[in-house]
Amino acid sequence: MTQVSVFSLGTWVTWGDQVDEELAYALARTAYAAGVNFFDTAEIYAGGVAETLLGAVIARGIADGVWTRADLVVSTKLFFGDKSSDRPNRRGLSRKHITQGLSASLARLGLDYVDIIYAHRADFQTPLSETVAAFSAAIDRGQALYWGTSMWPAARITAALDEAAATGRAPPVVEQPEYNLFTRKRVEVEYAPFTALRDTGGGVEATTAPRRTLGLTIWSPLADGVLTNKYAGGAAPAGSRMALGRSAAAGERLFRGADRYKVDAAAALAAALPRLGLADVSVTQVALAWTVASPAVSSCILGATSVAQLEENLGAMAVVPRLTPAVLTEVDKLMEPFVGG
Ligand code: NDP
């Protein structure tokens, strides 16, 4: 079983948009030095540029003797297509897009294989049997080692597991859902049957170690950065995600619309830290540590636009043991009015 680090590094919005190759390399090296072995991207991120940058960074690290390909777990995702996604056969989870799209991603990454290929969303236009067969074939060709889902309804995952078992094809082994102090239900309720430990022991060949059906690699642990409390002033600081043109609608919702409560919640959590015995750590670190305190979470994918941000975020690891059951209960109580879907 491939092992992923508790924190991983993602590339959405950042790499190819806010982050150039020099900064990307510095971020990846900082992460790797702190124990991160898992890097996440997707065909759609920056229209394919994020994959190109990740490939360049991996190659530089190999050339500089920082890491080898064997040390890294690399994932990408298919569904939304790349820059040409307006063409109907360059998106979705058909056999054609899984085959052609994965080859295109590997070319941008400059890699022979990715460790994990994710179905970035469910595709209800394509028969599930075709999707399962196509991912399984990609694994048989050696272009990916595992496949996973992202934001699939639990029933669709169950159907994929059943289809794979019935046909002897590779099953999905990991899901990539949103999970943060505001968005909890899918991980804690809907996916609970997949993340419960099950005893696989008993047979001569069976391992006696308990295992989960699916690992979870969770995204937006800071809810787009809101849980840093950086938006407490009621406006987006220059250079922040909410100040980007692409985030205009999200900024409008956050400062004047339905998401206004998130700014208040981050401020309330920050104000409560001294009472929780956490006066010496940032609300950012508490929010990140909270995600990985869940036994269901295999890896929390971090996003960062500077080395300083990433260092602060990686420091959350030291905060995890301080989130005792009593502290977690207090955090739950405090956040209860703010939890959404
Ligand atoms: P977060 O919610 O943690 O947001 C990260 C952003 O918050 C950073 O880019 C930065 O933005 C800000 N930030 C982070 N740390 C700090 C800090 N210490 N101080 C101040 N600001 C900070 O995660 P993302 O939304 O970026 O998601 C992480 C990864 O998950 C993505 O890169 C991607 O790989 C994956 N993902 C997967 C999805 C899926 O559908 N499967 C969907 C979304 C993401 P800024 O400086 O610009 O304000």
Side-chain angles (χ1 to χ4, degrees), residues 129-203:
S129 54
E130 178 176 332
T131 296
V132 171
F135 278 123
S136 193
I139 290 170
D140 291 343
R141 284 195 302 277
Q143 290 184 310
L145 303 184
Y146 299 99
W147 76 278
T149 57
S150 181
M151 303 292 286
W152 280 31
R156 192 77 171 169
I157 299 175
T158 300
L161 291 165
D162 290 348
E163 167 70 17
T167 56
R169 298 210 158 90
V173 298
V174 57
E175 194 351 281
Q176 189 173 122
E178 181 179 8
Y179 189 54
N180 54 53
L181 280 161
F182 300 122
T183 304
R184 301 175 55 166
K185 249 187 233 151
R186 187 161 242 172
V187 164
E188 295 177 7
V189 181
E190 195 181 335
Y191 291 160
F194 305 128
T195 59
L197 286 174
R198 59 193 170 88
D199 187 359
T200 55

Side-chain angles (χ1 to χ4, degrees), residues 79-99:
F79 177 80
F80 293 107
D82 53 27
K83 270 184 271 191
S84 47
S85 55
D86 55 325
R87 298 182 204 170
N89 287 320
R90 295 204 179 187
R91 62 191 312 279
L93 300 178
S94 63
R95 179 177 284 109
K96 185 171 175 71
H97 186 60
I98 290 173
T99 305

Side-chain angles (χ1 to χ4, degrees), residues 14 33-35 59 67 76 108 120 158 167 205 213 219 221 225 243 245 259 272 325 327-328 331:
T14 49
W67 48 59
T76 193
R108 285 190 289 269
H120 208 157
T158 300
T167 56
E205 293 170 348
T213 306
W219 57 265
D259 288 349
V327 170
L328 288 171
V331 171

Side-chain angles (χ1 to χ4, degrees), residues 46-336:
V49 176
E51 288 182 327
T52 306
L53 271 187
L54 181 56
V57 160
I58 290 171
R60 274 178 75 172
I62 292 172
D64 291 346
V66 181
W67 48 59
T68 69
R69 175 65 184 92
D71 296 321
L72 307 178
V73 178
V74 180
S75 65
T76 193
K77 311 184 205 77
L78 302 172
F79 177 80
F80 293 107
D82 53 27
K83 270 184 271 191
S84 47
S85 55
D86 55 325
R87 298 182 204 170
N89 287 320
R90 295 204 179 187
R91 62 191 312 279
L93 300 178
S94 63
R95 179 177 284 109
K96 185 171 175 71
H97 186 60
I98 290 173
T99 305
Q100 183 277 330
L102 180 52
S103 295
S105 286
L106 290 173
R108 285 190 289 269
L109 285 160
L111 298 177
D112 301 331
Y113 74 95
V114 285
D115 296 80
I116 307 167
I117 183 71
Y118 287 98
H120 208 157
R121 292 291 182 269
D123 175 358
F124 294 99
Q125 283 188 323
T126 301
L128 190 58
S129 54
E130 178 176 332
T131 296
V132 171
F135 278 123
S136 193
I139 290 170
D140 291 343
R141 284 195 302 277
Q143 290 184 310
L145 303 184
Y146 299 99
W147 76 278
T149 57
S150 181
M151 303 292 286
W152 280 31
R156 192 77 171 169
I157 299 175
T158 300
L161 291 165
D162 290 348
E163 167 70 17
T167 56
R169 298 210 158 90
V173 298
V174 57
E175 194 351 281
Q176 189 173 122
E178 181 179 8
Y179 189 54
N180 54 53
L181 280 161
F182 300 122
T183 304
R184 301 175 55 166
K185 249 187 233 151
R186 187 161 242 172
V187 164
E188 295 177 7
V189 181
E190 195 181 335
Y191 291 160
F194 305 128
T195 59
L197 286 174
R198 59 193 170 88
D199 187 359
T200 55
V204 173
E205 293 170 348
T207 166
T208 50
R211 300 199 20 210
R212 299 166 205 283
T213 306
L214 294 180
L216 299 184
T217 61
I218 63 104
W219 57 265
S220 287
L222 295 172
D224 280 319
V226 176
L227 285 162
T228 61
N229 201 25
K230 72 200 288 179
Y231 297 112
S240 65
R241 182 173 294 182
M242 291 302 157
L244 302 177
R246 63 180 295 162
S247 302
E252 193 53 31
R253 273 197 310 278
L254 189 66
F255 297 122
R256 278 166 288 280
D259 288 349
R260 171 74 229 185
Y261 73 97
K262 293 184 178 178
V263 177
D264 298 339
L269 183 59
L273 294 185
R275 181 166 62 78
L276 301 177
L278 297 167
D280 57 321
V281 298
S282 66
V283 64
T284 304
Q285 290 178 322
V286 172
L288 293 172
W290 177 87
T291 66
V292 300
S294 163
V297 172
S298 310
S299 188
C300 162
I301 313 177
L302 300 172
T305 57
S306 70
V307 170
Q309 283 184 3
L310 183 60
E311 284 172 342
E312 176 183 3
N313 298 358
L314 292 166
M317 203 59 228
V319 179
V320 180
R322 295 174 63 185
L323 298 188
T324 59
V327 170
L328 288 171
T329 303
E330 285 301 312
V331 171
D332 274 352
K333 260 195 238 159
L334 193 87
M335 296 302 289
E336 202 190 346

